[in-house]
């Protein structure tokens, strides 16, 4: 056969567009597919063995037909997202057999990335850390934290920083960037275990469980009696509503995500946006896909931090494509403790 | 008598804190007060004859006890706001009898500005335009338009600009700044008369009556098929809700005011703020009081525009303190055609 012997290629397929809360059954494990482990003769394609899949909140947006954030998932086709992979075969001079790469591919054991291979399929050269880190702290979520905090929020030493979803893939890093900048940093998360880790392992100045706060506005007033200079927004809705009256004059809100809103049929209305006026607050949304020109700079910064042992990072890894649907759904109940990764194959 | 002969000094007093829509009867015309027309012997105070009073939407916020925008009005004391005045007597070397000034004072015929006279009481040196312009186009609203559009919104030639409340004191100038910058500019207002003036007198590319649009989101889609690069926000609430899905990628929203919200017991919730993320939109609130260092620069720009006859400006002037309460209330029903001014005395 032209493409070499066919092997089994398990896949996680997207069933159909949804509204409301996603369920495991919105995804289907398919065990019937096969794939050849060679790229077609004379092609410029790349054949990947996928090692790690990334679960990220924005993926929920792609399950709705009207999504504008990314291309929608295609019913009957594999879920797609960020992966870390090994190159098994390549007709493309930029990639060699044995390279490790990270980028966008399907939730499947093997992916054929057809020509033109997107430049967003990046070769991994720094391997002093686990390869899975390229789904998180050294991948899209890491760059997201770097751009949203260090670049857009204009942080200064001594400022007060609040990070919601502080134990998520992005939040973990934002909190540490803020501490290294010399800020006072408080994070929120959804369980005692996460809160304890934020305080004791990540060294935040304080942390709280938002589920145990009947009045979020009052809670924030307690942690920030002089106001919040920077809010790193991962949650939206009622959390943002509680933050607005607690912002300090000339505060900045980096709007990275709004996970509380993605499953709602009717998004929460946020009142009192006039606080933006009275306190001269800048609220800036961003989509990291516009900022990949900063990735080399980000990697230099991160390599130095890793060499200096300045970073802590917690992953929550499940094994096998079979576990993938539950892992993705778990993001929206906060089941994961740290960055949610799916290990598909051994390196 | 130390302060010279006492003369009658009519005042408009604030009755008491309110919620909901303000009424004329929330203000009281007092005709019983008197004042001496000399500053106290040996004092550094300044005595003003008030010529023009400014009606501005933010004043509503000062009628609520919880207001944080400015000091609240004081029940039983005069309403305060921006005024244009003539100096009748001065013990302060910075001001001479006969000077014209603009700044903050009471709604009354004469005001004694006691030592220390605030530096925000500014002498008027450029008098080639009506003095009343210093309540608007050359005063606080003018600087507001300049800062909010030219400085914060980062406008570029060819961009698409939407201005709500485009016939208000600030909006009139924003639309003209945007046209001079080479932008495509659409404004909204609340009557056919205002819309016609925006199109024919102010030279906007288009304008519409928001009261006649059953679906504001669809209306904006019609005027901005490729999206809005800059929204100058004067209205808030449902208008902002309609703008968000119509923003273009990398759009900017300068949040100057939210007049639709000031009289509501429960402010409108604005859903779909996640458009800020998907389109990388920056939304920035500002309070012009932090930007007065730009006033000299602004005046140089404006004098040149006036010399070149590049500016149009429409005032709606009522006569006498008796007319002041109705004039202020009229802002919130859109009764005024252009900047609302109250003429108190002849120059």
């Amino acid at each position: 056969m032209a493409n070499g012997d066919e092997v089994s290629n398990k896949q996680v397929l997207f069933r159909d567009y949804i509204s409301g809360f996603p369920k495991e059954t919105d995804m289907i494990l398919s065990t019937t597919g096969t794939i050849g482990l060679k790229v077609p003769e004379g092609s410029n394609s790349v054949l990947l063995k996928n090692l790690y899949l990334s679960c990220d909140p924005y993926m929920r947006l792609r399950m709705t037909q009207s999504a504008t954030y990314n291309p929608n998932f295609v019913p009957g086709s594999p879920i797609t997202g960020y992966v870390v992979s090994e190159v098994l075969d390549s007709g493309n001079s930029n990639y060699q057999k044995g390279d490790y790469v990270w980028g966008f591919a399907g939730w499947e054991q093997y992916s054929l990335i057809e020509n033109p291979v997107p430049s967003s399929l990046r070769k991994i050269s720094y391997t002093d850390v686990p390869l899975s880190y390229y789904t998180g702290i050294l991948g899209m979520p890491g760059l997201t934290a770097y751009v949203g905090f260090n670049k857009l929020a204009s942080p200064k030493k001594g400022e007060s920083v609040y990070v919601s979803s502080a134990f998520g893939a992005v939040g973990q890093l934002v909190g540490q960037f803020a501490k290294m900048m010399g800020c006072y940093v408080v994070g929120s998360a959804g369980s005692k275990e996460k809160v304890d880790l934020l305080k004791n392992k990540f060294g935040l100045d304080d942390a709280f469980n938002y589920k145990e706060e009947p009045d979020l506005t009052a809670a924030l007033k307690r942690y920030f009696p002089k106001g919040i200079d920077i809010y790193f927004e991962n949650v939206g809705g009622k959390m943002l509503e509680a933050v607005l009256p607690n912002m300090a004059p000339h505060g900045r809100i980096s709007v990275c995500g709004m996970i509380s809103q993605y499953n709602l049929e009717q998004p929460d209305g946020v009142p009192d946006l006039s606080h933006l006026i009275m306190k001269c607050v800048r609220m800036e949304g961003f989509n990291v896909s516009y900022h990949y020109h900063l990735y080399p700079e980000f990697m230099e910064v991160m390599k130095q931090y890793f060499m200096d042992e300045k970073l802590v990072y917690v992953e929550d890894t499940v094994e096998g494509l079979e576990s993938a649907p539950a892992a993705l759904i778990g993001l929206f109940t906060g089941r994961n403790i740290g960055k949610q990764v799916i290990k598909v194959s051994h390196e």
Side-chain angles (χ1 to χ4, degrees), chain A:
Chain A
M1 289 167 91
N3 295 358
D5 290 339
E6 298 271 323
V7 298
S8 168
N9 188 22
K10 278 192 280 191
Q11 297 180 307
V12 177
L13 307 178
F14 178 56
R15 185 184 293 273
D16 203 355
Y17 298 111
I18 65 169
S19 62
F21 212 92
K23 303 180 302 294
E24 287 185 45
T25 53
D26 295 324
M27 290 165 271
I28 305 159
L29 183 74
S30 161
T31 57
T32 58
T34 60
I35 188 169
L37 296 185
K38 294 279 181 196
V39 300
E41 199 87 33
S43 88
N44 292 313
S45 303
V46 177
L47 190 92
L48 303 180
K49 175 180 158 192
N50 297 324
L51 308 176
Y52 300 100
L53 311 181
S54 179
C55 290
D56 297 293
Y58 80 91
M59 296 171 76
R60 168 63 187 85
L61 299 171
R62 304 180 60 206
M63 301 176 108
T64 305
Q65 192 155 23
S66 62
T68 51
Y69 195 89
N70 269 287
N72 296 335
F73 292 135
V74 178
S77 291
I79 298 283
T80 55
Y82 288 98
V83 305
V84 172
S85 313
E86 181 184 346
V87 174
L88 288 193
D89 190 30
S90 171
N92 185 305
S93 59
N94 294 325
Y95 305 90
Q96 312 301 327
K97 177 172 160 60
D99 283 348
Y100 292 111
V101 296
W102 75 273
F104 230 64
W107 277 21
E108 54 197 356
Q109 292 176 284
Y110 304 96
S111 294
L112 179 66
I113 308 296
E114 295 190 50
N115 192 48
V117 176
S119 61
S120 58
L121 189 72
R122 289 180 160 74
K123 280 168 72 166
I124 293 173
S125 55
Y126 176 68
T127 55
D128 292 355
V129 294
L131 285 177
S132 57
Y133 280 22
Y134 287 88
T135 65
I137 192 168
L138 291 181
M140 179 278 286
L143 184 63
T144 299
Y146 183 72
V147 168
F149 184 73
N150 293 28
K151 297 294 177 180
L152 300 183
S154 317
K156 289 187 285 293
K157 186 175 173 177
E159 288 195 315
S160 292
V161 176
Y162 173 51
V163 188
S164 58
S165 200
F167 208 80
V170 176
Q172 282 187 25
L173 197 48
V174 171
Q176 293 179 83
F177 282 151
K179 280 309 299 173
M180 287 193 264
M181 182 72 70
C183 297
Y184 168 80
V185 187
V186 178
S188 60
S191 75
K192 182 175 186 311
E193 180 180 2
K194 293 178 188 177
V195 166
D196 288 345
L197 283 163
L198 286 172
K199 287 199 276 196
N200 302 321
K201 188 178 173 82
F202 284 84
L204 299 200
D205 294 288
D206 222 326
F208 65 93
N209 181 349
Y210 71 91
K211 292 178 180 169
E212 291 185 347
E213 294 291 347
D215 181 342
L216 280 171
T217 308
L220 289 168
K221 181 82 188 161
R222 243 176 19 243
Y223 290 105
F224 297 96
K226 294 180 183 167
I228 300 167
D229 295 307
I230 296 176
Y231 172 46
F232 197 96
E233 165 69 301
N234 287 312
V235 168
K238 305 229 177 301
M239 183 62 84
L240 178 58
E241 181 175 345
V243 163
L244 287 171
N246 281 295
M247 289 301 293
H250 305 287
R252 286 85 67 202
I253 302 177
S254 263
V255 189
C256 169
M258 293 188 167
I259 195 171
S260 74
Q261 303 298 294
Y262 299 160
N263 299 316
L264 302 180
E265 303 264 349
Q266 287 293 331
D268 290 327
V270 176
D272 287 334
L273 285 162
S274 54
H275 286 287
L276 299 179
I277 306 171
M278 306 189 193
K279 295 181 177 158
C280 300
V281 171
R282 186 178 77 207
M283 184 167 166
E284 186 158 6
F286 71 103
N287 178 333
V288 72
S289 58
Y290 290 101
H291 296 275
Y292 271 94
H293 60 283
L294 293 172
Y295 187 71
E297 169 188 321
F298 162 74
M299 277 303 296
E300 289 310 307
V301 169
M302 294 298 280
K303 280 194 271 188
Q304 189 62 50
Y305 285 153
F306 276 116
M307 278 198 283
D308 298 343
E309 298 187 343
K310 282 191 171 173
L311 289 170
V312 177
Y313 184 54
V314 175
E315 293 180 310
D316 186 333
T317 306
V318 299
E319 295 256 348
L321 274 173
E322 298 76 2
S323 309
L328 180 58
I329 303 307
L331 287 184
F332 301 98
T333 57
R335 195 192 69 164
N336 54 309
I337 309 283
K339 167 68 193 181
Q340 182 67 64
V341 180
I342 299 151
K343 182 175 178 180
V344 180
S345 301
H346 289 281
E347 295 175 20

